[in-house]
Amino acid sequence: MNWLFHLGRYWMFIKEMLSRPEKLSIYWKQLLRELDNFGYGSLGIVALTSVFMGAVITIQTVYNLVNPLVPMSAVGIVARDSIILEFSPTMMSLVLAGKIGSSIASEIGTMRVTEQIDAIEIMGINSASYLSLPKVVAAILIFPFVVIISMFLGIFGGWIAGTLAGVISSADYINGIQDSFVPFNIVFALIKTVTFAFLITSVAAYHGYHTEGGALEVGQSSTNAVVYSSILILVFDYILTQLILT
Amino acid sequence: MIELRNISKSFSGRMILSGVSTCFEKGHINLVIGGSGSGKTVLMKCMVGLVEIDDGELLYDKKMFSGLSRAERKPFRQEIGMVFQGGALFDSLTVEQNVMFPLNMFTDLSIQDKRERVNFCLKRVNLEKVNQLSPSELSGGMKKRVAIARAIAPNPSYLFCDEPNSGLDPKTSIVIDNLIKEITEEFNITTIVNTHDMNSVLEIGDKIIFLHQGKKWWEGTVNDILQTDNQELNDFIFASKLAKGVKQKYGKN
C-alpha cells in the first residue's frame, strides 16, 4: 500500500504547487532561468542522442529490408515515423528524465536537508510552489521545442548515415521522408512530450521535496525520481498511444 | 512576547514535548537549553509553525498562532526571522540576493532601497564587501552573520536562533552572541535562542529555560543558575571542570 501513500502525497503536493504564487515577478525570473537551463542546457545531449538514434534506425531498417518489391524510399518513411512518433518524444524524455529529473530532485532534496526549504517556509512563502512551479512550467514550454529539434536532427542523422554508408541514396531517403506524411503525428508527439515534461519535473520535485535525512537520502531521492518518472513515461506512452492513435 | 501554554508534541507515539508552558518577553534574550534529544529544536519548530503542536496554545503578543491555517499565519510569518543551525543560506544566490530575498518577496521597495537595506543589515552584522560572494565562499562565522542579516532584513518582531554557535570557534561564538544581544536590544525584538553553549548561557541569557526529557525542568536567570540545586540542571551546565570551578567560585555548592 506504499504506492497509495505516495500517490496521495503526490496529489497534495501538486495541489500545493498549483496554488496562487506570492509574487509573479519573482516566479517570472525563475521561469526564465529554468527555460535556459532546460532548453539550452539540454541541447548538447539531445543533439548527440538524436543524430545517432536516426543513424541507427536508418541502417537497421535497410539491413532488415530484404524484400526487393519494397522500394528503398520505405526506409525514409520508417525512419521518419519511428523518430516522430516514438523515438524523439519518448526516448528524449527518458534522456531528459535522467538529466533534468535527477538534477531537480537533488537540488530540492539538498535544500530540504540543509533547512533551506524551512527558511523559505518561515518567511511565509509556499515553498512547494516557489521551488517547483517554475520548473514544471518551463519544462512544459521548452520540451516541445527540444523534441522538434530532436526530430529534425534524428531524420538528418539518418540521411547522413544512410548516404555515407552507401546503403541508401539521398534521393530515396528524401522521397521517403516526404511520402505519406501525416501532420497529426507531430501533434501527437507534442501531446506526449508535454505530458512527459509534467511527469518528469513534478515527480522529481516531489521526491526532492520529501527527502528526509542527509546526503545519502538526497542520492536516493535523485535515483527514485529518475526511476519513477521513467516508468511513468512508459506507462503514459502506452496510455496516450492507445487513446489517441487507435 | 510569545506565550506557550501546555505545549505537547509526539512523533509516532513517542512523546517529545510534554506540557511546556512559559513566556518569552520582548526585548530580552530567552535561551532554551537542554541535552541532545531534549526537545529544543522541536519546541522551536513548533513555535515558528514548521511543526504542528498536538496540544496546547501558542500566542504571539496575545494573538493565537496555534491552530491557524497557512493563510491566516502569513501576517505572523512576515514578523518572524530565523537563524538556522547551518545558516540555511540559498546556495544558488549571492550574499546580497540572500539578504534581499525576503524584501523581494514581501515589499515593493525600489531596487535602490532594497540595496540600501541589504547594505545596512550586512554592516550591522559587521560584514562588508561580501555582497557578490556566494555562500560557499564564506566561513562558518560569516555564514551565520549573513543568516542573521537575512533574518533581520524585513524588520522582524521575533527572532529565533537555533544553535547559532554550533561549529564555531569560541572567539567567533562570542561575536555572534554579542551580535544577537545588540540586535535584540536595538530593535526591541523577542529573541529565542536554542543553545548548548555555556558561555552564551552565562553571557547573554536574560531568561533561561531548561528542557529535560521533553519537559520544562527549570526556568530562571543566570544568577538563579549559579544558585540552583536542581540536580539535572547542574549536571548539564556544570559538566566540565571549568564550569564546576565557576559554580564553586560564584554559586551555591
Side-chain angles (χ1 to χ4, degrees):
Chain A
M1 302 304 276
N2 198 30
W3 69 272
L4 266 179
F5 165 76
H6 281 288
L7 188 65
R9 200 166 64 161
Y10 174 75
W11 284 118
M12 300 281 284
F13 174 74
I14 296 296
K15 195 180 148 203
E16 205 163 318
M17 182 183 82
L18 295 176
S19 60
R20 192 181 157 76
E22 274 81 16
K23 205 169 183 182
L24 279 173
S25 59
I26 301 285
Y27 279 64
W28 175 245
K29 281 181 198 162
Q30 293 277 95
L31 177 67
L32 293 178
R33 194 178 303 147
E34 301 300 356
L35 282 172
D36 177 55
N37 186 21
F38 294 167
Y40 184 70
S42 304
L43 278 183
I45 183 85
V46 166
L48 194 73
T49 317
S50 302
V51 168
F52 281 96
M53 174 185 75
V56 171
I57 290 169
T58 302
I59 291 171
Q60 284 192 352
T61 308
V62 172
Y63 175 71
N64 285 291
L65 201 68
V66 287
N67 191 335
L69 294 175
V70 178
M72 279 307 278
S73 62
V75 174
I77 298 174
V78 172
R80 180 201 66 205
D81 285 348
S82 308
I83 289 166
I84 290 176
L85 282 172
E86 194 57 31
F87 282 89
S88 280
T90 309
M91 235 182 100
M92 279 314 112
S93 294
L94 289 170
V95 169
L96 293 173
K99 183 184 182 289
I100 291 170
S102 63
S103 146
I104 291 174
S106 52
E107 179 192 331
I108 298 179
T110 304
M111 290 185 78
R112 168 63 76 192
V113 301
T114 55
E115 296 181 308
Q116 292 176 49
I117 292 182
D118 287 345
I120 294 173
E121 283 286 325
I122 289 285
M123 293 176 205
I125 299 161
N126 177 349
S127 58
S129 175
Y130 174 75
L131 294 172
S132 314
L133 193 58
K135 295 184 198 308
V136 173
V137 174
I140 287 172
L141 291 176
I142 205 72
F143 274 25
F145 291 97
V146 172
V147 165
I148 285 172
I149 291 169
S150 162
M151 288 173 185
F152 171 78
L153 290 174
I155 293 169
F156 178 72
W159 175 69
I160 292 278
T163 51
L164 281 182
V167 293
I168 184 171
S169 71
S170 177
D172 278 340
Y173 189 83
I174 289 168
N175 279 340
I177 61 172
Q178 290 175 327
D179 192 19
S180 321
F181 175 61
V182 182
F184 179 74
N185 286 351
I186 302 275
V187 176
F188 171 63
L190 295 183
I191 291 170
K192 289 207 298 186
T193 303
V194 167
T195 309
F196 299 158
F198 179 82
L199 287 172
I200 292 167
T201 44
S202 62
V203 168
Y206 164 78
H207 279 285
Y209 193 78
H210 290 100
T211 304
E212 284 175 12
L216 184 68
E217 285 76 11
V218 172
Q220 281 169 351
S221 290
S222 181
T223 307
N224 286 341
V226 176
V227 170
Y228 288 110
S229 56
S230 299
I231 292 169
L232 285 171
I233 285 169
L234 298 174
V235 170
F236 274 80
D237 186 27
Y238 170 72
I239 292 171
L240 289 173
T241 307
Q242 181 82 11
L243 283 176
I244 298 173
L245 287 192
T246 58
Chain B
M1 185 181 79
I2 299 174
E3 204 178 336
L4 278 63
R5 295 179 186 159
N6 268 319
I7 300 289
S8 295
K9 179 70 194 172
S10 59
F11 290 109
S12 310
R14 191 171 146 246
M15 188 63 84
I16 305 297
L17 294 172
S18 173
V20 178
S21 298
T22 190
C23 185
F24 299 116
E25 296 291 337
K26 199 180 180 90
H28 289 97
I29 296 197
N30 303 278
L31 299 185
V32 180
I33 60 171
S36 298
S38 59
K40 298 190 300 295
T41 300
V42 173
L43 180 65
M44 185 165 277
K45 286 190 172 179
C46 287
M47 280 193 276
V48 296
L50 284 175
V51 171
E52 292 302 324
I53 56 174
D54 293 340
D55 209 3
E57 289 177 335
L58 184 57
L59 295 95
Y60 277 66
D61 288 324
K62 298 195 188 300
K63 288 180 211 153
M64 189 62 76
F65 180 77
S66 51
L68 297 182
S69 68
R70 184 195 198 101
E72 289 167 330
R73 276 184 184 169
K74 205 161 184 177
F76 289 96
R77 291 222 180 272
Q78 287 161 28
E79 291 290 316
I80 295 173
M82 183 155 178
V83 180
F84 287 85
Q85 200 172 343
L89 299 177
F90 306 127
D91 299 324
S92 57
L93 305 180
T94 62
V95 166
E96 181 176 274
Q97 289 167 334
N98 262 285
V99 181
M100 207 183 273
F101 188 86
L103 303 175
N104 283 336
M105 276 293 180
F106 299 112
T107 68
D108 291 318
L109 294 173
S110 68
I111 186 73
Q112 190 58 37
D113 289 341
K114 281 188 267 191
R115 283 224 168 90
E116 274 178 28
R117 179 72 188 155
V118 168
N119 288 333
F120 168 80
C121 293
L122 287 173
K123 203 172 172 185
R124 189 64 202 78
V125 297
N126 307 318
L127 282 176
E128 282 178 275
K129 296 178 183 170
V130 295
N131 295 40
Q132 299 313 317
L133 297 181
S134 70
S136 60
E137 293 173 280
L138 304 176
S139 67
M142 287 165 96
K143 278 183 190 165
K144 292 279 167 69
R145 282 189 277 169
V146 174
I148 294 172
R150 184 177 66 183
I152 63 170
N155 258 330
S157 303
Y158 317 98
L159 180 65
F160 294 86
C161 305
D162 189 14
E163 299 191 23
N165 297 331
S166 68
L168 300 181
D169 62 80
K171 199 175 169 187
T172 313
S173 295
I174 292 167
V175 172
I176 298 291
D177 280 344
N178 291 336
L179 196 56
I180 292 170
K181 189 172 178 63
E182 286 162 21
I183 285 168
T184 301
E185 287 166 0
E186 195 176 322
F187 302 114
N188 197 27
I189 302 173
T190 307
T191 300
I192 296 151
V193 181
N194 273 356
T195 188
H196 274 134
D197 191 86
M198 287 312 113
N199 191 55
S200 303
V201 174
L202 299 173
E203 287 288 328
I204 62 164
D206 294 319
K207 178 181 181 176
I208 298 151
I209 307 279
F210 175 58
L211 288 185
H212 183 63
Q213 295 174 347
K215 292 178 181 150
K216 188 185 79 179
W217 211 258
W218 184 89
E219 181 174 348
T221 63
V222 174
N223 288 334
D224 297 336
I225 276 197
L226 293 169
Q227 304 304 323
T228 186
D229 46 18
N230 185 305
Q231 189 60 44
E232 286 78 12
L233 180 63
N234 281 334
D235 287 348
F236 177 71
I237 298 267
F238 305 107
S240 70
K241 278 184 184 170
L242 185 66
K244 274 180 190 143
V246 172
K247 173 90 174 168
Q248 277 163 5
K249 186 164 183 188
Y250 299 103
K252 191 170 120 181
N253 291 308

